[in-house]
Amino acid sequence: SPKGYCDLCKGIGYIEEINLDNLINYNLSISDGGIKAIQDNNNTWILNQIKIIGKKYNFNLKNKINLIPEEGMAAILNGINTNFTYVNKNIGIKERHNINFEGIINFMKNEYDNNQSKTTQRWLKKYFIKNKYTKCNGQKLKIESLHFLILNKNISEISDYDIQDLK
């Protein structure tokens, strides 16, 4: 029953999460395709957002990803919403930036969950991995639902049996 299933994994027992090893090549720069999901993307808006993040965290798109500060990568991947001033020492001016970037991971999750396009789903699927959900331990049910026992077995344990073994 939907009333008893785990709210977070929605009764599936696992969650799909971005696999960073599939998404990022740490030995490449962003401009050389280090973030695979945007390597063929001509979306200058995303690249401009990352350039602004680079001003805040002192990196550029030509730096290898493994040299980008941890805070900068966190902003690229998970998003950032902040105001800051950048001093351009070469020309002696201050630039004020207001950035509200959802992050590549949040964008990908949102598209994966909500975009109905089969092409988009196929493209995104290669960046996800299935992990057993830890709150329900992959048993698909709320903890409360697992307290009902038959011969000292909860419903999830019983459903794992082969039908022949239940006779």
Side-chain angles (χ1 to χ4, degrees):
S1 153
K3 291 182 182 177
Y5 73 54
C6 174
D7 295 329
L8 297 170
C9 75
K10 296 180 176 56
I12 297 173
Y14 62 86
I15 53 174
E16 292 182 301
E17 299 175 309
I18 296 286
N19 181 346
L20 291 179
D21 293 333
N22 289 346
L23 179 64
I24 300 173
N25 182 336
Y26 292 93
N27 295 314
L28 293 177
S29 68
I30 293 170
S31 62
D32 289 334
I35 300 177
K36 297 172 190 172
I38 62 170
Q39 71 184 7
D40 297 326
N41 191 333
N42 292 327
N43 188 333
T44 55
W45 182 83
I46 290 175
L47 295 176
N48 284 336
Q49 296 299 298
I50 295 173
K51 285 178 187 176
I52 293 170
I53 293 168
K55 288 180 180 181
K56 179 162 178 60
Y57 295 105
N58 198 27
F59 70 88
N60 64 55
L61 300 183
K62 294 184 187 278
N63 293 125
K64 287 186 178 182
I65 291 177
N66 61 3
L67 299 176
I68 294 175
E70 191 175 319
E71 300 87 6
M73 277 309 293
I76 292 169
L77 296 175
N78 303 314
I80 185 171
N81 185 1
T82 191
N83 299 307
F84 70 96
T85 301
Y86 170 75
V87 178
N88 188 328
K89 294 176 185 171
N90 294 332
I91 56 177
I93 63 168
K94 291 182 180 180
E95 301 173 14
R96 296 190 200 301
H97 293 281
N98 178 9
I99 185 166
N100 186 359
F101 180 62
E102 73 177 318
I104 292 172
I105 289 176
N106 293 325
F107 171 78
M108 291 174 70
K109 284 181 180 179
N110 186 44
E111 286 296 304
Y112 190 69
D113 291 341
N114 300 310
N115 193 313
Q116 301 298 314
S117 163
K118 295 290 183 194
T119 304
T120 301
Q121 291 290 314
R122 263 193 313 276
W123 170 71
L124 287 169
K125 191 152 189 82
K126 65 185 169 188
Y127 299 112
F128 282 80
I129 188 169
K130 292 180 181 179
N131 288 323
K132 185 174 18 173
Y133 188 62
T134 54
K135 185 173 180 188
C136 68
N137 198 28
Q139 293 185 313
K140 307 174 187 175
L141 299 169
K142 293 179 183 174
I143 300 299
E144 303 84 41
S145 300
L146 296 171
H147 289 297
F148 297 96
L149 304 176
I150 301 171
L151 299 173
N152 291 325
K153 304 268 184 219
N154 67 42
I155 190 168
S156 180
E157 293 168 321
I158 291 172
S159 68
D160 286 339
Y161 280 107
D162 185 281
I163 193 75
Q164 298 299 323
D165 295 337
L166 290 174
K167 288 185 177 182

